[in-house]
Coordinates of all heavy atoms in Angstrom, one line a residue:
D1 N -35.6 -3.7 70.9 CA -35.5 -3.4 69.5 C -34.2 -2.7 69.1 O -34.1 -1.6 68.5 CB -36.7 -2.4 69.1 CG -36.9 -2.4 67.6 OD1 -36.3 -3.3 66.9 OD2 -37.6 -1.5 67.1
G2 N -33.1 -3.3 69.6 CA -31.7 -2.7 69.3 C -31.6 -1.4 70.0 O -32.1 -1.1 71.1
N3 N -30.8 -0.5 69.3 CA -30.6 0.9 69.9 C -31.5 1.9 69.2 O -31.3 3.1 69.5 CB -29.1 1.3 69.7 CG -28.2 0.5 70.6 OD1 -28.5 0.2 71.7 ND2 -27.1 0.1 70.0
R4 N -32.5 1.5 68.4 CA -33.3 2.5 67.7 C -34.0 3.4 68.6 O -34.0 4.6 68.4 CB -34.3 1.7 66.8 CG -35.2 2.6 66.0 CD -36.2 1.8 65.2 NE -37.0 1.0 66.1 CZ -38.1 1.6 66.6 NH1 -38.5 2.8 66.4 NH2 -38.9 0.8 67.4
L5 N -34.6 2.9 69.6 CA -35.4 3.7 70.5 C -34.5 4.7 71.3 O -34.9 5.8 71.5 CB -36.3 2.8 71.5 CG -37.4 2.1 70.8 CD1 -38.0 1.1 71.7 CD2 -38.5 3.1 70.2
L6 N -33.4 4.2 71.8 CA -32.5 5.0 72.6 C -31.9 6.1 71.7 O -31.7 7.3 72.1 CB -31.4 4.2 73.2 CG -31.8 3.3 74.4 CD1 -30.6 2.6 75.0 CD2 -32.6 4.1 75.4
D7 N -31.7 5.8 70.4 CA -31.2 6.8 69.5 C -32.2 7.9 69.3 O -31.9 9.1 69.3 CB -30.8 6.2 68.2 CG -29.6 5.3 68.2 OD1 -28.8 5.5 69.2 OD2 -29.4 4.5 67.3
A8 N -33.5 7.5 69.3 CA -34.6 8.5 69.1 C -34.7 9.4 70.3 O -35.2 10.5 70.3 CB -35.9 7.8 68.8
A9 N -34.3 8.9 71.5 CA -34.5 9.6 72.8 C -33.2 10.3 73.2 O -33.2 10.7 74.4 CB -35.0 8.6 73.8
S10 N -32.2 10.4 72.4 CA -30.9 10.8 72.8 C -30.9 12.2 73.5 O -30.3 12.4 74.5 CB -29.9 10.8 71.6 OG -30.4 11.7 70.6
S11 N -31.7 13.1 72.9 CA -31.7 14.5 73.5 C -32.4 14.5 74.9 O -32.0 15.2 75.7 CB -32.5 15.4 72.6 OG -33.9 15.0 72.4
I12 N -33.4 13.6 75.1 CA -34.0 13.5 76.4 C -33.1 12.8 77.4 O -32.9 13.3 78.5 CB -35.3 12.7 76.3 CG1 -36.3 13.4 75.4 CG2 -35.9 12.5 77.7 CD1 -37.5 12.6 75.1
L13 N -32.3 11.8 76.9 CA -31.4 11.1 77.8 C -30.3 12.0 78.4 O -29.9 11.8 79.5 CB -30.8 9.9 77.1 CG -31.8 8.8 76.6 CD1 -31.0 7.7 75.8 CD2 -32.5 8.2 77.8
Q14 N -29.9 13.0 77.6 CA -28.9 13.9 78.0 C -29.3 14.8 79.2 O -28.5 15.3 79.9 CB -28.5 14.8 76.8 CG -27.7 14.0 75.7 CD -27.5 14.9 74.5 OE1 -27.7 16.1 74.5 NE2 -27.0 14.3 73.5
T15 N -30.6 14.9 79.4 CA -31.1 15.7 80.5 C -31.1 14.9 81.8 O -31.3 15.5 82.9 CB -32.5 16.2 80.3 OG1 -33.5 15.1 80.3 CG2 -32.6 16.9 78.9
M16 N -31.0 13.6 81.8 CA -31.1 12.7 82.9 C -29.8 12.7 83.7 O -28.7 12.4 83.2 CB -31.4 11.3 82.6 CG -32.8 11.2 81.9 SD -33.2 9.5 81.4 CE -34.9 9.7 80.7
K17 N -29.9 13.2 85.0 CA -28.7 13.3 85.8 C -28.1 12.0 86.1 O -26.8 11.8 86.2 CB -29.0 14.0 87.1 CG -27.9 14.3 88.0 CD -28.3 15.1 89.2 CE -27.1 15.4 90.2 NZ -27.5 16.1 91.4
S18 N -28.9 10.9 86.4 CA -28.4 9.6 86.7 C -29.2 8.6 86.0 O -30.4 8.4 86.2 CB -28.5 9.4 88.2 OG -28.1 8.1 88.6
V19 N -28.6 7.9 85.1 CA -29.3 6.9 84.2 C -28.4 5.7 84.0 O -27.2 5.8 83.9 CB -29.7 7.5 82.9 CG1 -28.5 8.0 82.1 CG2 -30.6 6.6 82.1
S20 N -29.0 4.5 84.0 CA -28.3 3.3 83.6 C -29.1 2.5 82.7 O -30.3 2.6 82.6 CB -27.9 2.5 84.9 OG -29.1 2.1 85.6
Y21 N -28.4 1.6 81.9 CA -29.1 0.8 80.9 C -28.9 -0.7 81.2 O -27.9 -1.1 81.6 CB -28.5 1.2 79.5 CG -28.6 2.6 79.2 CD1 -27.5 3.5 79.5 CD2 -29.7 3.2 78.6 CE1 -27.6 4.8 79.2 CE2 -29.8 4.6 78.4 CZ -28.7 5.4 78.6 OH -28.8 6.7 78.4
R22 N -30.0 -1.4 81.0 CA -29.9 -2.8 81.2 C -30.5 -3.5 79.9 O -31.4 -3.0 79.3 CB -30.7 -3.3 82.4 CG -30.1 -2.7 83.7 CD -30.7 -3.4 84.9 NE -30.3 -4.8 85.0 CZ -29.1 -5.2 85.5 NH1 -28.2 -4.3 85.9 NH2 -28.8 -6.4 85.6
Y23 N -29.8 -4.7 79.6 CA -30.2 -5.4 78.4 C -30.4 -6.9 78.8 O -29.7 -7.4 79.5 CB -29.0 -5.3 77.4 CG -28.7 -3.9 77.0 CD1 -27.7 -3.2 77.7 CD2 -29.2 -3.3 75.9 CE1 -27.4 -1.9 77.4 CE2 -28.9 -2.0 75.5 CZ -27.9 -1.3 76.3 OH -27.6 0.0 76.0
L24 N -31.5 -7.4 78.2 CA -31.8 -8.8 78.5 C -31.4 -9.6 77.3 O -32.2 -10.2 76.6 CB -33.3 -8.9 78.8 CG -33.8 -8.2 80.0 CD1 -35.4 -8.3 80.1 CD2 -33.2 -8.7 81.2
D25 N -30.1 -9.7 77.0 CA -29.6 -10.3 75.8 C -29.7 -11.8 75.9 O -29.6 -12.5 74.9 CB -28.1 -10.0 75.6 CG -27.9 -8.5 75.4 OD1 -28.8 -7.9 74.9 OD2 -26.8 -8.0 75.7
Y26 N -30.0 -12.4 77.1 CA -30.0 -13.8 77.3 C -31.3 -14.4 77.1 O -31.5 -15.7 77.2 CB -29.4 -14.2 78.7 CG -30.1 -13.4 79.8 CD1 -31.3 -13.9 80.4 CD2 -29.6 -12.2 80.3 CE1 -31.9 -13.2 81.4 CE2 -30.2 -11.5 81.3 CZ -31.4 -12.0 81.8 OH -32.0 -11.3 82.8
I27 N -32.3 -13.7 76.7 CA -33.7 -14.2 76.5 C -34.1 -14.0 75.1 O -33.5 -13.2 74.3 CB -34.7 -13.7 77.5 CG1 -35.0 -12.2 77.1 CG2 -34.3 -13.8 78.9 CD1 -36.1 -11.6 77.9
D28 N -35.1 -14.7 74.7 CA -35.6 -14.6 73.3 C -35.9 -13.1 73.0 O -36.8 -12.5 73.6 CB -36.9 -15.4 73.2 CG -37.5 -15.4 71.8 OD1 -37.0 -14.7 70.9 OD2 -38.5 -16.1 71.6
P29 N -35.3 -12.5 71.9 CA -35.6 -11.1 71.6 C -37.0 -10.8 71.3 O -37.5 -9.7 71.4 CB -34.6 -10.9 70.4 CG -34.2 -12.2 69.9 CD -34.3 -13.1 71.1
E30 N -37.7 -11.9 70.8 CA -39.1 -11.7 70.5 C -39.9 -11.4 71.7 O -41.0 -10.7 71.7 CB -39.7 -12.9 69.7 CG -39.1 -13.1 68.3 CD -39.4 -11.8 67.5 OE1 -40.5 -11.3 67.5 OE2 -38.4 -11.4 66.8
L31 N -39.5 -11.9 72.9 CA -40.2 -11.7 74.1 C -40.1 -10.2 74.5 O -41.1 -9.6 75.0 CB -39.6 -12.6 75.2 CG -40.2 -12.5 76.6 CD1 -41.6 -12.8 76.6 CD2 -39.4 -13.4 77.6
I32 N -38.9 -9.6 74.4 CA -38.7 -8.2 74.8 C -39.5 -7.3 73.9 O -40.0 -6.3 74.3 CB -37.2 -7.9 74.7 CG1 -36.5 -8.6 75.8 CG2 -37.0 -6.4 74.9 CD1 -37.0 -8.4 77.2
K33 N -39.7 -7.7 72.6 CA -40.5 -6.9 71.7 C -42.0 -7.0 71.9 O -42.8 -6.2 71.4 CB -40.2 -7.2 70.3 CG -38.8 -6.9 69.8 CD -38.5 -7.4 68.4 CE -37.1 -7.1 68.0 NZ -36.9 -7.6 66.6
L34 N -42.4 -8.0 72.7 CA -43.8 -8.4 72.9 C -44.6 -7.3 73.5 O -44.1 -6.6 74.5 CB -43.9 -9.7 73.7 CG -45.3 -10.3 73.8 CD1 -45.8 -10.8 72.5 CD2 -45.2 -11.5 74.8
S35 N -45.8 -7.0 73.1 CA -46.6 -6.0 73.7 C -47.8 -6.7 74.3 O -48.3 -7.7 73.9 CB -47.1 -5.0 72.6 OG -48.0 -5.6 71.7
S36 N -48.4 -6.0 75.3 CA -49.6 -6.5 75.9 C -50.8 -6.4 75.0 O -51.7 -7.2 75.1 CB -49.9 -5.7 77.2 OG -49.0 -5.9 78.2
T37 N -50.7 -5.5 74.0 CA -51.8 -5.5 73.0 C -51.9 -6.8 72.2 O -53.0 -7.3 72.0 CB -51.5 -4.3 72.0 OG1 -51.4 -3.1 72.7 CG2 -52.6 -4.3 70.9
R38 N -50.7 -7.3 71.8 CA -50.7 -8.6 71.1 C -51.2 -9.7 72.0 O -52.0 -10.6 71.5 CB -49.3 -8.9 70.6 CG -49.3 -10.2 69.8 CD -47.9 -10.5 69.2 NE -47.5 -9.5 68.3 CZ -46.3 -9.5 67.6 NH1 -45.5 -10.5 67.9 NH2 -46.0 -8.6 66.8
I39 N -50.8 -9.7 73.3 CA -51.3 -10.7 74.2 C -52.8 -10.7 74.3 O -53.5 -11.7 74.3 CB -50.7 -10.5 75.6 CG1 -49.2 -10.7 75.6 CG2 -51.4 -11.4 76.6 CD1 -48.8 -12.2 75.3
R40 N -53.4 -9.5 74.4 CA -54.9 -9.4 74.5 C -55.5 -9.9 73.2 O -56.6 -10.5 73.3 CB -55.3 -7.9 74.8 CG -54.8 -7.4 76.1 CD -55.5 -6.1 76.4 NE -55.1 -5.0 75.5 CZ -54.1 -4.2 75.6 NH1 -53.3 -4.4 76.7 NH2 -53.9 -3.2 74.8

C-alpha cells in the first residue's frame, strides 16, 4: 500500500537498530494488498 504504512510507523522504525525494506514491485499490487480475511 505504497509508503502510507511506513510513514505511520516512522517513530517506531527509528528505534530499530538494524532494519531493511523489501518491495515486491514485480508482482500484481493487488496481491500484496490481499488479506487472508478476504480469502476466507
Side-chain angles (χ1 to χ4, degrees):
D1 198 13
N3 290 322
R4 179 183 63 83
L5 291 171
L6 290 183
D7 290 342
S10 59
S11 61
I12 299 172
L13 298 176
Q14 292 174 7
T15 69
M16 296 180 180
K17 183 178 180 180
S18 176
V19 61
S20 60
Y21 306 93
R22 298 193 65 81
Y23 303 85
L24 299 177
D25 297 333
Y26 50 87
I27 67 172
D28 182 354
E30 291 303 313
L31 179 59
I32 293 301
K33 295 179 183 179
L34 188 64
S35 70
S36 292
T37 301
R38 182 178 296 181
I39 293 291
R40 294 193 296 273

